[in-house]
Amino acid sequence: MSADSSSQEINVSDLVLYTNCPRRVYFASRGFELFSEVTASRLERIILKELSLDYPEIVKECSLNADNIYKKLEISLAKVCTDLPLLFPRELADVTSEIFEDGEARARAKIPEIAANLLGALEEYGKEPMLAALTPVKTEPFLSSERLNLKGIPSKLVCFEGTQVPSILKPGSCPEQGVWASDRIHAAAFILLLEAESGKEVPFAFVEYVSFGLLRRVVVRSSDRREVLKICREVEKIKAGFMPERKEEKFCKECNFSEHCISDSSLMSKFF
Ligand code: SF4
């Protein structure tokens, strides 16, 4: 519910929310819950994200054999599902066994594709580069920059070709090639933060599309950096109280703020 508390501090997650819909930043920054309940589809994403943390171990131990990877993924998935209530006790407190089983089944259905893609990448790039790109040297490090007025926690930092770079885990859909525009902004924001902390240029980041076992390298351009800075300024304004105009977004149908969003829009339309 509304806590009516605004803060000027910007998190990378605010930028991601902004790329979905600027109005979502407004509601989330005022204490409205982004998600109301854990559905089977959300649970599937949580399970697959957890499963991806085992990819380095699976890749390390596997021989180049699809059955072998498949079996290891199956074993890991069973372990993840057992551990999940211990990892997310608050979030999963009200999840029924039907939803849990449905979420688990949906995640399990993704295993053949994940196994095939991991195997394909192993054959194409080799085990050592794959391990370097997947294995964290730091997990969920806190990064911040006063100058950017930005903070955030990437899923991990990996050391690839002698450079520490951020890697983000994405449980959603995966584009045919490259990364989604919003993921490019997400990656660019962490690159800027890591550069601010390390004082060195960070040339690229990784995006792991965990529901597919696909890893994409993203080289950020000046235009991406410019876009991050622009969005930071927009988010600052929104957090200070500016409500962006309502546009029909593809997320509206499943948006937890829709009720407030529509009523606030009709209220505003009476005055303007
Ligand atoms: S209902 Fe649509 S416009 Fe309103 S906050 Fe949600 S996604 Fe944005």
Side-chain angles (χ1 to χ4, degrees):
M1 282 310 294
S2 174
D4 199 27
S5 62
S6 57
S7 156
Q8 299 303 313
E9 216 171 27
I10 300 173
N11 199 304
V12 173
S13 58
D14 296 322
L15 310 188
V16 177
L17 214 49
Y18 183 96
T19 58
N20 293 166
C21 166
R23 267 204 167 197
R24 289 179 126 189
V25 178
Y26 179 87
F27 289 111
S29 67
R30 271 147 189 81
F32 290 89
E33 291 284 344
L34 191 53
F35 299 109
S36 53
E37 58 187 20
V38 176
T39 59
S41 134
R42 200 169 150 223
L43 195 65
E44 172 196 348
R45 290 164 167 242
I46 297 173
I47 292 170
L48 290 170
K49 215 167 164 182
E50 279 304 307
L51 178 67
S52 74
L53 302 179
D54 286 348
Y55 289 174
E57 208 50 42
I58 290 169
V59 167
K60 197 169 167 186
E61 289 175 2
C62 78
S63 54
L64 290 181
N65 173 320
D67 280 353
N68 187 309
I69 296 185
Y70 185 94
K71 276 188 201 125
K72 286 190 186 300
L73 284 165
E74 279 271 5
I75 293 167
S76 274
L77 186 107
K79 175 183 69 83
V80 164
C81 291
T82 307
D83 292 349
L84 219 55
L86 299 172
L87 300 175
F88 304 99
R90 189 172 51 84
E91 292 86 343
L92 303 186
D94 298 326
V95 174
T96 62
S97 54
E98 286 79 14
I99 288 181
F100 202 94
E101 280 161 24
D102 194 5
E104 183 175 346
R106 291 167 74 130
R108 181 166 287 111
K110 292 276 166 61
I111 287 185
E113 192 170 5
I114 294 172
N117 286 330
L118 285 178
L119 186 66
L122 264 168
E123 284 169 350
E124 188 172 351
Y125 303 110
K127 195 178 262 195
E128 287 314 312
M130 276 281 283
L131 280 175
L134 289 171
T135 311
V137 288
K138 279 187 195 153
T139 303
E140 299 189 347
F142 176 77
L143 303 175
S144 70
S145 161
E146 244 180 73
R147 186 173 167 208
L148 295 166
N149 186 28
L150 186 64
K151 62 178 182 176
I153 302 177
S155 309
K156 55 189 170 181
L157 300 183
V158 299
C159 185
F160 194 81
E161 294 171 352
T163 310
Q164 275 200 17
V165 300
S167 182
I168 49 180
L169 307 180
K170 291 284 178 178
S173 61
C174 175
E176 279 290 312
Q177 289 183 334
V179 301
W180 298 117
S182 58
D183 297 340
R184 179 172 275 285
I185 295 298
H186 199 174
F190 284 128
I191 282 180
L192 280 164
L193 279 179
L194 190 55
E195 286 179 342
E197 291 233 337
S198 67
K200 290 187 212 142
E201 191 192 348
V202 178
F204 59 89
F206 284 110
V207 178
E208 262 187 60
Y209 290 101
V210 298
S211 308
F212 302 86
L214 287 170
L215 184 67
R216 299 269 164 87
R217 177 170 163 152
V218 48
V219 177
V220 301
R221 304 179 284 248
S222 296
S223 55
D224 302 316
R225 292 165 181 266
R226 199 174 296 122
E227 190 64 15
V228 169
L229 299 180
K230 190 178 128 204
I231 295 175
C232 280
R233 287 176 198 127
E234 292 299 319
V235 168
E236 267 171 13
K237 280 200 274 176
I238 294 170
K239 288 198 160 189
F242 168 72
M243 190 199 266
E245 225 176 278
R246 181 174 198 272
K247 289 192 210 115
E248 203 56 38
E249 303 278 354
K250 68 175 175 181
F251 302 98
C252 287
K253 258 194 276 158
E254 293 167 3
C255 179
N256 214 27
F257 307 136
S258 56
E259 198 186 310
H260 305 288
C261 186
I262 291 162
S263 62
D264 282 352
S265 295
S266 43
L267 190 65
M268 281 170 85
S269 68
K270 285 187 181 150
F271 294 105
F272 300 102

